[in-house]
Amino acid sequence: MRTDYCGNISKDHVGQEVTLCGWVNRRRDLGGLIFIDLRDREGMVQVVYDPDLPDVLEIANTLRAEFCVQVTGKVNARPESQINADMKTGEIEILGTDLKILSKAAPLPLDSNQENSEEQRLKYRYIDLRRPVMSERLQFRAKVTSAVRRYLDDNGFLDIETPILTKATPEGARDYLVPSRTHKGEFFALPQSPQLFKQLLMMSGLDRYYQITKCFRDEDLRADRQPEFTQIDLETSFLDADGVMAITEDMIRTVFKSLLNVELGDFPRMSYAEAMQRYGSDKPDLRNPLELVDVADILKDVDFKVFAGPANDPKGRIAAIRVPGGASLSRKQIDEYTKFVGIYGAKGLAWVKVNDKAAGLDGLQSPILKFLPEAEVNGLLDRTGAETGDILLFGADNYTVVTEAMGALRLKLGEDLELLEGDWKPLWVVDFPMFEEIDGQLHALHHPFTAARDITAEQLEADPLNALSNAYDMVLNGCELGGGSVRIHEPEMQSAVFRILGISDEEARVKFGFLLDALKYGPPPHAGLAFGLDRMVMLMTGADSIRDVMAFPKTTTAACPLTDAPGEANPEQLKELAIEIIKKANDA
């Protein structure tokens, strides 16, 4: 039906007859001449119809936005004065000789000339995806997956599928459950990741596996989360953490170079402890020059209770952020930042403006200066490196509140004050704690199949909170691109981890019996990593949300306006599944 794509017509085609198919982006009637901007996935081209062909001109006059048409015509070079440098095809135009309407479009529910609500965009996604920016993102996504596959294929990885209907695995979110018709009262779970299966593939001797696969998590949603998302999942045998990091780092460098012509260079490594201390986050954005500086030791002897309490509490923290040029912040702005940190549990935000450092205390401005001795104030200025024109912002509370609040404030200040430096700042975060304590219960910081670093099972059980995991996260511009670990391949270590997590031998047998059995039969040392494909494409295309790089995403309430999913099930289906819907009195 066509000889080429609209966006591919160039000066090389001048004088040729071409047939194109696509959608009418815009029609203009300029006193007898009708101009059509014709669009397909490769771009747009201008088509001109003149009065010399009255029958064709009459058809052209009926065109409206999003009519699907077939155009035949001769490629002409535009006069120098009419070249459109903003269009890929701006040096040429098509002199139309024939026109066929393939299908008409009703009045559009979306207006390309204004911002449409996300609900409308998702409901009429097939129209929204025709927009060049959306089409380009999905085409770019396809190029990313192709580049990843090429790299992994070339490096000995095998593309192997794993089951979608499976058993629940502990990945930190609620499972999506699927009732079984043949085993009434029992349920499959959709995989939160292929974690256990890829470990079993290593135990099967397949050595290097990868899969670009769907994962499912029933969790609270935000810009970089969806109930179903795509992972670039891989696992290797006989590679340690350094080996996995080396090959995946090279893969990401290769993808960025081939698709964006960006040289990422070598990725620095930073421990989890250092990241939390300096940046208040385990995925620090290194484009932001602001850092958290610990100052509790300087303030242990002050009479100011706001500082003295946390300074002398082993579980407390006082962190300062020096904002260059921040002395210009108004009191209203400071109050807004104080409200912001309150979201994270902070009770306030102390501050000191350095209006003139050379003037000593007289050159400083703050409501807390009257509570602080001169020696301590000078200690704060020295520790933070404050200079004239800066402001110091302080968080003082328990360690968790200060770290989260000041880490979030650091990011907000970086965005608000346009402090970000450079386009791409990758790094590895390593040496994560093996466990974290929540309400007195220990939880695996990654997942319970992560190996401990340089420690025996007996030592791990004796002091679990001080154990480090052999895990690693790849971070780019403050986003976690991927995370992985060396896996446990020794039955004694796996049983010890389960005991620390409060999983009894009986419960472990019920949930993970197949894994525990496999660990008895010569499992190899193995390690892997999983990347979030959606998040990677979001960063590479500059999109604001992973929903804008997915063809058919869900809303923030995990609904699909396009198909009206989820919906009610047929009563006969429920009967077959032995499921009954019981409505409460207050249900709508």
Side-chain angles (χ1 to χ4, degrees):
M1 292 183 71
R2 63 184 171 199
T3 59
D4 215 322
Y5 286 102
C6 298
N8 291 343
I9 305 301
S10 69
K11 289 184 73 173
D12 294 338
H13 294 85
V14 170
Q16 297 180 24
E17 182 179 83
V18 295
T19 298
L20 309 174
C21 294
W23 287 266
V24 176
N25 192 70
R26 187 170 60 147
R27 181 187 66 87
R28 290 162 289 151
D29 188 340
L30 301 181
L33 287 176
I34 294 180
F35 291 83
I36 299 167
D37 291 336
L38 189 65
R39 184 192 70 242
D40 61 20
R41 78 171 200 190
E42 296 299 324
M44 198 134 43
V45 68
Q46 179 173 279
V47 184
V48 185
Y49 288 99
D50 63 33
D52 290 345
L53 298 170
D55 292 343
V56 177
L57 188 71
E58 184 178 349
I59 298 173
N61 196 45
T62 67
L63 298 181
R64 298 291 182 270
E66 299 308 318
F67 274 33
C68 185
V69 300
Q70 181 188 58
V71 165
T72 298
K74 182 180 177 182
V75 181
N76 284 349
R78 291 199 199 189
E80 191 74 27
S81 60
Q82 296 179 18
I83 290 177
N84 184 348
D86 295 328
M87 284 181 68
K88 180 181 172 183
T89 59
E91 291 184 304
I92 57 91
E93 62 185 7
I94 311 297
L95 181 59
T97 57
D98 196 11
L99 174 62
K100 181 183 292 185
I101 296 175
L102 301 176
S103 63
K104 296 182 179 181
L108 298 175
L110 300 179
D111 187 346
S112 60
N113 296 315
Q114 66 178 31
E115 284 291 318
N116 298 287
S117 72
E118 186 169 65
E119 186 83 11
Q120 285 292 97
R121 289 178 54 212
L122 295 183
K123 183 174 179 62
Y124 300 98
R125 191 62 162 179
Y126 42 86
I127 298 176
D128 185 54
L129 291 179
R130 293 179 194 170
R131 290 191 298 133
V133 65
M134 295 301 295
S135 178
E136 288 164 9
R137 286 170 180 165
L138 290 186
Q139 290 181 64
F140 186 86
R141 180 186 176 115
K143 292 177 182 177
V144 171
T145 59
S146 293
V148 167
R149 288 186 190 280
R150 279 195 302 273
Y151 182 91
L152 293 174
D153 290 342
D154 291 344
N155 282 273
F157 285 80
L158 304 176
D159 185 356
I160 304 174
E161 295 180 349
T162 54
I164 293 297
L165 293 176
T166 182
K167 199 169 187 176
T169 58
E171 299 286 340
R174 288 178 294 272
D175 291 303
Y176 280 100
L177 298 179
V178 180
S180 170
R181 179 185 60 81
T182 54
H183 300 275
K184 289 183 170 55
E186 297 183 345
F187 296 82
F188 295 103
L190 301 182
Q192 295 189 35
S193 82
Q195 180 62 47
L196 297 182
F197 286 104
K198 65 182 180 181
Q199 290 189 242
L200 292 175
L201 288 171
M202 295 304 99
M203 298 174 196
S204 304
L206 291 165
D207 199 72
R208 291 191 176 193
Y209 137 95
Y210 85 93
Q211 185 181 189
I212 298 179
T213 183
K214 283 289 187 184
C215 301
F216 307 86
R217 296 183 186 179
D218 186 5
E219 58 187 348
D220 295 333
L221 306 181
R222 56 192 186 203
D224 59 352
R225 283 184 180 173
Q226 278 279 291
E228 53 179 318
F229 57 95
T230 305
Q231 274 188 187
I232 304 168
D233 199 52
L234 57 93
E235 196 79 6
T236 66
S237 295
F238 309 113
L239 272 186
D240 59 13
D242 288 338
V244 172
M245 285 190 278
I247 198 166
T248 53
E249 179 178 322
D250 186 56
M251 181 185 80
I252 295 301
R253 278 200 301 264
T254 299
V255 170
F256 269 72
K257 176 61 178 175
S258 63
L259 297 183
L260 296 181
N261 197 28
V262 167
E263 295 279 4
L264 290 178
D266 292 334
F267 294 14
R269 296 189 186 185
M270 181 182 297
S271 71
Y272 170 88
E274 181 183 354
M276 298 303 286
Q277 288 298 115
R278 293 174 61 188
Y279 303 108
S281 171
D282 61 358
K283 46 180 186 293
D285 187 347
L286 298 187
R287 297 173 301 165
N288 186 333
L290 302 181
E291 293 192 21
L292 279 60
V293 179
D294 284 299
V295 295
D297 59 308
I298 299 173
L299 300 166
K300 283 188 174 182
D301 298 325
V302 302
D303 293 330
F304 189 37
K305 290 183 179 180
V306 171
F307 284 165
N312 291 281
D313 183 349
K315 294 184 178 180
R317 184 180 187 187
I318 305 177
I321 296 177
R322 171 200 163 214
V323 184
S328 61
L329 291 175
S330 67
R331 185 57 188 265
K332 180 181 178 182
Q333 287 173 300
I334 296 172
D335 288 345
E336 288 173 352
Y337 288 127
T338 302
K339 290 179 182 177
F340 175 78
V341 296
I343 298 171
Y344 299 88
K347 300 180 183 69
L349 185 67
W351 55 274
V352 174
K353 287 186 176 184
V354 185
N355 295 323
D356 183 359
K357 186 177 180 180
L361 289 179
D362 291 338
L364 306 180
Q365 177 187 353
S366 172
I368 67 171
L369 287 175
K370 58 187 175 184
F371 302 112
L372 303 179
E374 185 174 359
E376 277 74 0
V377 172
N378 288 333
L380 294 173
L381 296 177
D382 291 342
R383 176 74 60 84
T384 59
E387 299 291 344
T388 296
D390 297 347
I391 189 171
L392 299 179
L393 302 171
F394 298 89
D397 209 307
N398 68 60
Y399 181 88
T400 300
V401 167
V402 170
T403 303
E404 291 183 357
M406 298 301 282
L409 178 62
R410 170 184 173 269
L411 294 177
K412 183 168 178 58
L413 288 165
E415 292 286 347
D416 290 352
L417 304 180
E418 299 181 351
L419 300 176
L420 303 189
E421 302 169 348
D423 295 323
W424 304 103
K425 291 292 180 71
L427 80 153
W428 287 104
V429 177
V430 298
D431 294 340
F432 287 84
M434 188 79 174
F435 303 100
E436 60 181 341
E437 187 174 5
I438 302 175
D439 298 328
Q441 175 69 41
L442 292 185
H443 299 265
L445 196 68
H446 276 74
H447 55 65
F449 316 109
T450 300
R453 183 163 186 157
D454 303 325
I455 197 172
T456 65
E458 293 77 14
Q459 291 170 325
L460 180 65
E461 287 198 85
D463 189 12
L465 280 176
N466 285 315
L468 296 179
S469 66
N470 205 348
Y472 33 82
D473 281 0
M474 183 186 290
V475 177
L476 180 64
N477 292 1
C479 287
E480 180 191 328
L481 271 193
S485 68
V486 174
R487 321 303 187 186
I488 297 170
H489 75 284
E490 300 162 322
E492 299 79 11
M493 180 64 80
Q494 188 64 76
S495 296
V497 169
F498 285 157
R499 285 194 294 272
I500 291 169
L501 296 174
I503 300 173
S504 68
D505 291 344
E506 294 76 18
E507 185 181 358
R509 170 56 52 185
V510 170
K511 289 184 174 179
F512 312 112
F514 61 95
L515 176 68
L516 295 174
D517 287 341
L519 289 173
K520 298 176 185 177
Y521 303 111
H526 55 287
L529 189 146
F531 290 98
L533 173 65
D534 313 295
R535 197 172 295 175
M536 184 190 305
V537 177
M538 177 186 74
L539 287 174
M540 295 180 77
T541 60
D544 295 325
S545 163
I546 64 170
R547 293 188 293 277
D548 282 337
V549 296
M550 303 171 78
F552 300 105
K554 306 293 188 291
T555 66
T556 53
T557 59
C560 177
L562 175 66
T563 61
D564 287 330
E568 294 185 357
N570 184 296
E572 289 302 315
Q573 287 180 300
L574 294 178
K575 186 176 180 180
E576 273 193 312
L577 296 168
I579 292 176
E580 181 181 1
I581 304 296
I582 301 174
K583 294 208 172 191
K584 295 180 181 178
N586 59 353
D587 284 348

